[in-house]
Amino acid sequence: MTPFDYSPFLKRWSEKFDPDRSFLESDGARAPTIKAMQVIWGSLTDLDTANFERQARLERNRQQAGLIYRLLAGIDSFEDTVQITTSLGELALQASLSHHQRIFGDTFGVPADPRFTVIGLGKLGGRELNLSSDIDIFCVFGSDGKTAGPRVRDHSDFFTHLTQRMARSLDTKTLDGLVARVDQRLRPWGSAGRLAIPAFACSEYYESHGREWERFALLKARPVAGNLELGSELLKELKPFMFRKYLDFGVFESIRELKVKIEIEVRRSGKETDVKVGRGGIREAEFIVQSMQLLRGGQVPSLQGTSFLNTLDGLVDQNILPFIEGIQLREDYLWLRNLEHLIQAENDQQTHALPHDLGPLSAVLGFASAHDFELERRNVTDRVNASFTSFLKTEKPEKLAERPVLDDVLNRLDLFQNREACDRLEPVAKKRLLNLIEKLGPALSLYSLDVTDRMLDFISTCMRRSAYFALLSENPETLRRMLEILNRSSWIAERLIEMPALLDELLMLNPVDAVMSREAIRQELNVRMQRVGPDDTERFTETLVQFARGLAFRVAVFEVRGEIPLMKVSDQLTWVAEAVVNEVLAYAHQECISRYGSPKLICGNDSGISVLGYGKLGGIEMSYGSDLDLVFVHGVDSAKLTDGVQPIEGGVFVTRVVRRMVALLEEPTRFGRLYEIDTRLRPSGHSGLMVVAIDAFEKYLDESAWTWELQAFVRARPVAGERLLNDELEALRKSILVRTRDSSALLIDVINMRKKMRSQMLIAPNIDGFDLKQGEGGIVDIEFMVQYHILANARTYPGLALYSDNIRQLEALSLVGCLSDADADALKAAYVRYRSLNHEAILAGRAGLIAAELVRDERRTVNRLWAQWMKYS
């Protein structure tokens, strides 16, 4: 099999750019020198941005074609491939950085301290990039200050935007593809942190807030672009965070926790044979070496490098790993990495999944059959997994004094109190912590080990709040209540870990306050927002996140304790979302007015913008973590200019308001983000305008909307914005729903859409459990039946168009005789049961999957009614 037969990517590239294969069979067949690559990439930096980005993609694809050709032809070794791929990533980063530094310098002037470094992590930092790897980075600048140009910017703003532009020029996908996917989520504070921070802030972050998994991430950290000296100095400062002077047995617990999380994700996504994260995959081999680095690196400096293979050799040289085991691990690792490269070489995709047809892959690897390949793959992964499993049991910490607690609990507590973070505590705080740990043992032994892990995760996040330790130690009833909540809900545990201050909410909960009115929720938010300055966007979003998460947490605790019914839970969560959306609309609208002035209104006397809620928000059925399905409608004169000093057309104005709204709602903060926003239900979906005029909206619904869009409109309602425009939208909804429709054609459309959804959205067959939402006889089937009946009968019974929530819609259908009372009651009962179980699943961390036998009767009822109503000849 030739390289071109195996790789469609290589074949397509060759046909377009090298039809006679003169490049691939000459220069492309020889690994390029680093110097030659530097010359090529350096020549791109002075181009204008459009040409730079296009030429960068063409050059990347040219180099990629050569890499894949040489790999498949057996010319390059593994070391050759990763070295060239890594150099390609570094040079692309440096070229993009140099290109945008020049532009930014011309625009804003040179920063007072121009030092800026790009730190490579993962396989980029380890000089081991695979063929189609992401590039993991974070960026640091020298110090705070300002630029010296005519348009002055402080360093934080200058370097943050420089980082954005640098990354965007590489990872934006165009007709020519992309240069590299740039991943910056491993930076300090993660997605909630700024894209570039000063060096001192980076050091302080890891010293004060660095978590165990971040030690693993920094093992491969290496300056790869920009001011390399700054990067090296910074990483030298971070050495004590990564490498402890004593045997760091906490590594074992950390690696187990990381592995458990990965295994859960593997099972959830059906990746058991994934070359990277599956059983016995690349990740397990890396865990062995990286854990030994952290465990021994403080005593053995030769283990502090970034390369996997060099570190593995060092472990063998130091007799930390037995010689035979180390040699076998190296061979198995290289076999898996070569397999990874071949999988990615097929279509130049970042994937680690085995192809469905193993024939071509087996042939390229030299196996006589796919069966022979599978036997060898299983042998390799079995060996790696056996080494990994054995490794986790090789060294154990000294146990605490004997107490009447379970051994597993005792072990976890022992590991926890020996972490360096505990050693760094002030004497009073440490005494409080040890006292709490002593009392936790017997209490935690009453529960599963999950509760121990959750409690320790919580303690980890509030090491600087030792008053909480004293509170829990001195109040057994409070401790019991907290552990009971942690036992019943992993979701609540995660919220406590994200925001330890929520413990105050847990302590002060009163069942009398379980249900707040819509107006009370809005008033509470209004009080909080009065303490936020009009120009303090960061505090604005953080306050909203704290409010929304705090109320959701409070509702969840009441629900877990059985002190609030399901329907009230949804009401509360829906009203919180409404309050937040209204506040964000007002903020975004005022920002745009301050800059551009006010547009000319055609409808209303306020913002001229209304927000329609669809789905769970529209149906008053919000759950924990629900997305917001939003459609934006305006009543302004699109063509007339605003009346400000920087006038813009009204249509542009409302678009900017809406885009700013979405950005604020999805803005990452240190407490997380408010909501995920989905605007795909707007007219024409992704290709349509972000905000549409009400007359165009009506025309679209009347003339162009698909049946599934009308189904979605059944659950739509105004949730924020211009009151008069909202009234018009309410009237429009009723008008659209009561239109005459061909019931047979409608039925066919609804059934076909459901079939399409079932084929695309059902859970993977190897995952146990019933999908409450998408499973056959589940929530969506009930919703589709209700939507069909409303669209088919609202012309005759206009009252069916009054409500957007499923329960009242069922009641209305029963009232007018479209459904029998018995059928309507059965569907309502099933729907409430499903939603209740869904809430339980979410709170327990099961993501809507339950044991099928729990809803056997409900499914039988729903399926029976579906078969009765939803069929056509």
Side-chain angles (χ1 to χ4, degrees):
M1 176 178 290
T2 70
F4 304 95
D5 294 328
Y6 176 78
S7 173
F9 165 80
L10 187 62
K11 182 179 180 181
R12 289 193 302 270
W13 185 89
S14 176
E15 289 173 348
K16 184 173 182 179
F17 296 103
D18 190 30
D20 59 358
R21 299 179 183 173
S22 57
F23 165 74
L24 288 175
E25 293 177 355
S26 55
D27 290 347
R30 296 185 293 272
T33 65
I34 301 302
K35 184 175 181 179
M37 294 172 67
Q38 289 173 334
V39 170
I40 293 172
W41 284 93
S43 69
L44 304 181
T45 58
D46 289 335
L47 299 174
D48 63 81
T49 299
N51 278 322
F52 168 78
E53 292 178 348
R54 182 162 196 270
Q55 292 303 317
R57 281 155 178 74
L58 294 175
E59 175 59 21
R60 180 267 178 192
N61 289 339
R62 188 179 73 90
Q63 294 283 4
Q64 189 76 349
L67 276 163
I68 291 175
Y69 177 79
R70 294 192 301 275
L71 170 72
L72 297 176
I75 298 172
D76 282 355
S77 66
F78 167 78
E79 288 79 1
D80 293 331
T81 299
V82 296
Q83 178 191 17
I84 295 168
T85 307
T86 300
S87 297
L88 183 59
E90 292 176 0
L91 291 170
L93 280 167
Q94 184 60 59
S96 185
L97 174 60
S98 298
H99 171 78
H100 289 293
Q101 274 180 320
R102 173 178 57 81
I103 296 172
F104 272 50
D106 292 343
T107 305
F108 304 112
V110 177
D113 181 353
R115 294 177 302 156
F116 177 81
T117 187
V118 181
I119 304 295
L121 301 168
K123 289 186 169 59
L124 173 63
R127 295 185 173 91
E128 298 163 346
L129 271 184
N130 56 53
L131 275 178
S132 296
S133 179
D134 292 349
I135 291 179
D136 294 298
I137 64 168
F138 70 84
C139 298
V140 175
F141 56 90
S143 59
D144 288 327
K146 295 183 181 297
T147 62
R151 297 172 60 185
V152 176
R153 291 289 186 274
D154 64 53
H155 285 179
S156 179
D157 183 65
F158 179 92
F159 288 115
T160 293
H161 285 88
L162 175 61
T163 301
Q164 286 176 325
R165 295 291 178 85
M166 174 188 71
R168 189 183 305 160
S169 282
L170 300 179
D171 65 14
T172 299
K173 193 166 186 178
T174 71
L175 292 175
D176 299 305
L178 48 75
V179 180
R181 290 169 291 272
V182 180
D183 191 336
Q184 302 181 71
R185 291 175 295 177
L186 294 178
R187 66 186 183 271
W189 297 114
S191 297
R194 295 187 70 91
L195 290 176
I197 60 175
F200 76 87
C202 185
S203 298
E204 287 183 355
Y205 168 81
Y206 287 110
E207 179 181 350
S208 303
H209 306 287
R211 291 157 289 181
E212 202 70 20
W213 67 263
E214 288 176 300
R215 294 176 64 202
F216 283 91
L218 287 179
L219 281 176
K220 291 184 177 295
R222 180 175 63 88
V224 295
N227 189 306
L228 302 185
E229 183 179 355
L230 172 64
S232 297
E233 291 173 356
L234 172 65
L235 293 176
K236 185 176 180 180
E237 289 183 19
L238 298 181
K239 287 281 186 183
F241 170 69
M242 292 183 276
F243 302 108
R244 310 292 162 80
K245 293 185 180 300
Y246 52 85
L247 289 181
D248 186 10
F249 289 105
V251 167
F252 287 97
E253 187 59 27
S254 299
I255 205 70
R256 289 188 186 103
E257 291 172 356
L258 284 171
K259 182 58 179 171
V260 165
K261 291 177 181 177
I262 290 172
E263 286 175 345
I264 291 172
E265 173 61 20
V266 166
R267 289 194 298 270
R268 186 192 67 79
S269 55
K271 293 183 177 179
E272 284 82 354
T273 60
D274 188 285
V275 173
K276 181 178 181 180
V277 300
R279 177 184 176 277
I282 294 168
R283 182 62 57 82
E284 287 188 1
E286 292 173 340
F287 275 165
I288 296 173
V289 172
Q290 291 171 355
S291 298
M292 283 296 187
Q293 276 187 280
L294 291 180
L295 183 70
R296 303 284 191 175
Q299 301 84 42
V300 185
S302 63
L303 300 180
Q304 295 180 7
T306 62
S307 164
F308 173 91
L309 292 175
N310 290 344
T311 304
L312 177 57
D313 291 343
L315 291 170
V316 173
D317 292 342
Q318 294 290 329
N319 295 317
I320 296 172
L321 273 182
F323 177 80
I324 298 300
E325 183 178 340
I327 295 301
Q328 186 64 65
L329 184 61
R330 168 185 263 271
E331 290 180 2
D332 290 339
Y333 175 79
L334 289 174
W335 194 91
L336 289 169
R337 289 298 308 273
N338 185 50
L339 175 59
E340 171 189 48
H341 282 166
L342 290 173
I343 291 172
Q344 295 177 350
E346 183 178 7
N347 285 300
D348 187 26
Q349 291 181 346
Q350 169 68 333
T351 178
H352 302 88
L354 292 173
H356 295 298
D357 180 5
L358 293 174
L361 180 62
S362 303
V364 169
L365 282 164
F367 290 96
S369 68
H371 175 73
D372 291 345
F373 160 74
E374 267 293 276
L375 286 178
E376 179 62 15
R377 186 190 67 81
R378 290 178 184 275
N379 288 336
V380 170
T381 56
D382 284 348
R383 284 195 299 267
V384 172
N385 181 254
S387 295
F388 176 74
T389 304
S390 174
F391 157 73
L392 286 181
K393 298 176 181 176
T394 54
E395 301 190 61
K396 296 182 179 179
E398 181 183 352
K399 287 191 174 182
L400 296 166
E402 291 297 327
R403 296 187 182 92
V405 296
L406 296 176
D407 287 344
D408 287 339
V409 172
L410 188 63
N411 185 48
R412 279 166 163 75
L413 294 176
D414 187 22
L415 288 168
F416 182 85
Q417 75 165 2
N418 286 320
R419 292 180 179 178
E420 187 181 7
C422 298
D423 290 337
R424 291 202 305 259
L425 291 174
E426 295 292 332
V428 172
K430 187 171 183 179
K431 182 179 179 180
R432 288 174 174 175
L433 174 61
L434 294 179
N435 188 35
L436 174 59
I437 287 178
E438 183 177 358
K439 294 182 178 180
L440 277 174
L444 290 169
S445 295
L446 299 174
Y447 301 98
S448 71
L449 284 176
D450 288 341
V451 178
T452 299
D453 294 336
R454 292 167 189 170
M455 187 66 190
L456 293 179
D457 284 343
F458 169 75
I459 292 174
S460 296
T461 63
C462 51
M463 299 292 274
R464 293 178 176 271
R465 301 174 178 86
S466 66
Y468 286 150
F469 303 156
L471 174 68
L472 293 170
S473 296
E474 296 165 6
N475 294 274
E477 179 57 27
T478 298
L479 179 58
R480 186 201 65 77
R481 184 190 308 172
M482 181 174 182
L483 295 181
E484 184 62 27
I485 290 294
L486 295 184
N487 179 51
R488 298 176 67 178
S489 174
S490 62
W491 187 91
I492 291 178
E494 290 167 4
R495 302 293 83 73
L496 273 170
I497 292 164
E498 289 171 353
M499 293 176 60
L502 290 174
L503 181 60
D504 297 333
E505 295 270 4
L506 184 62
L507 300 176
M508 297 184 293
L509 288 176
N510 187 334
V512 175
D513 302 322
V515 177
M516 298 175 64
S517 68
R518 177 187 269 137
E519 185 56 32
I521 288 174
R522 290 187 177 182
Q523 287 178 357
E524 180 169 334
L525 177 57
N526 184 57
V527 170
R528 298 195 191 193
M529 298 312 299
Q530 288 176 1
R531 299 191 289 267
V532 179
D535 300 319
D536 193 347
T537 303
E538 182 177 358
R539 188 174 180 189
F540 172 80
T541 53
E542 285 192 355
T543 300
L544 286 175
V545 171
Q546 288 176 292
F547 165 81
R549 295 207 166 194
L551 262 65
F553 176 87
R554 183 164 63 183
V555 169
V557 173
F558 282 129
E559 183 175 15
V560 165
R561 288 169 24 175
E563 294 168 346
I564 180 172
L566 168 71
M567 305 305 286
K568 294 296 184 182
V569 169
S570 295
D571 288 349
Q572 300 286 283
L573 297 176
T574 300
W575 294 340
V576 168
E578 287 181 10
V580 168
V581 172
N582 272 281
E583 195 69 41
V584 171
L585 172 58
Y587 190 91
H589 184 257
Q590 186 55 48
E591 269 192 346
C592 289
I593 287 215
S594 299
R595 182 174 299 179
Y596 308 113
S598 300
K600 178 177 176 54
L601 298 181
I602 296 174
C603 176
N605 51 23
D606 188 13
S607 66
I609 299 174
S610 285
V611 184
L612 277 170
Y614 281 68
K616 287 186 173 63
L617 178 60
I620 319 177
E621 294 173 356
M622 290 285 288
S623 183
Y624 307 102
S626 292
D627 295 348
L628 298 187
D629 294 297
L630 303 179
V631 170
F632 301 90
V633 180
H634 75 83
V636 309
D637 191 326
S638 298
K640 292 290 180 62
L641 296 178
T642 58
D643 59 8
V645 293
Q646 300 180 52
I648 57 176
E649 292 180 348
V652 176
F653 177 89
V654 293
T655 297
R656 292 186 179 177
V657 171
V658 167
R659 291 193 181 280
R660 182 60 170 149
M661 271 191 73
V662 173
L664 289 169
L665 288 167
E666 293 188 324
E667 178 75 21
T669 75
R670 58 196 173 107
F671 305 116
R673 65 180 70 202
L674 281 163
Y675 297 99
E676 294 288 340
I677 306 302
D678 191 338
T679 62
R680 291 174 297 177
L681 289 172
R682 67 185 186 267
S684 301
H686 281 310
S687 63
L689 297 172
M690 279 292 292
V691 53
V692 62
I694 187 169
D695 54 347
F697 188 51
E698 179 176 8
K699 180 179 177 63
Y700 179 87
L701 290 170
D702 193 34
E703 300 177 1
S704 306
W706 297 84
T707 297
W708 65 265
E709 291 177 295
L710 297 176
Q711 287 180 249
F713 200 49
V714 169
R715 288 167 61 82
R717 65 185 179 88
V719 296
E722 179 67 61
R723 184 169 54 84
L724 294 177
L725 190 56
N726 285 346
D727 292 341
E728 286 198 21
L729 286 168
E730 289 274 19
L732 172 60
R733 177 179 177 276
K734 294 173 185 175
S735 171
I736 294 295
L737 295 186
V738 301
R739 301 286 166 88
T740 301
R741 294 181 176 85
D742 182 333
S743 59
S744 296
L746 174 66
L747 180 60
I748 291 171
D749 286 348
V750 172
I751 292 173
N752 288 340
M753 175 52 65
R754 186 66 187 113
K755 287 179 179 177
K756 182 177 180 180
M757 290 178 67
R758 282 176 175 158
S759 67
Q760 295 178 350
M761 303 182 70
L762 277 175
I763 59 172
N766 58 341
I767 298 179
D768 294 331
F770 173 66
D771 186 332
L772 284 162
K773 182 178 180 181
Q774 293 292 342
E776 187 171 338
I779 288 173
V780 174
D781 282 352
I782 297 176
E783 292 174 345
F784 266 52
M785 286 190 283
V786 171
Q787 291 159 12
Y788 163 73
H789 280 297
I790 288 177
L791 290 172
N793 295 292
R795 177 65 178 175
T796 306
Y797 306 104
L800 297 177
L802 291 176
Y803 305 114
S804 61
D805 60 290
N806 216 58
I807 296 300
R808 285 189 295 180
Q809 288 171 346
L810 280 166
E811 291 172 350
L813 287 166
S814 172
L815 184 64
V816 300
C818 293
L819 304 183
S820 70
D821 291 346
D823 288 344
D825 289 342
L827 288 177
K828 284 192 294 182
Y831 196 70
V832 171
R833 169 74 169 157
Y834 286 158
R835 291 191 54 228
S836 179
L837 288 171
N838 192 47
H839 276 220
E840 290 179 17
I842 292 171
L843 291 173
R846 296 194 303 269
L849 292 178
I850 64 162
E853 59 267 23
L854 291 177
V855 289
R856 184 177 291 109
D857 293 339
E858 287 83 357
R859 290 181 68 193
R860 185 180 296 117
T861 296
V862 175
N863 286 331
R864 174 179 60 81
L865 293 176
W866 181 278
Q868 178 181 331
W869 299 334
M870 310 300 285
K871 62 183 179 180
Y872 55 87
S873 55

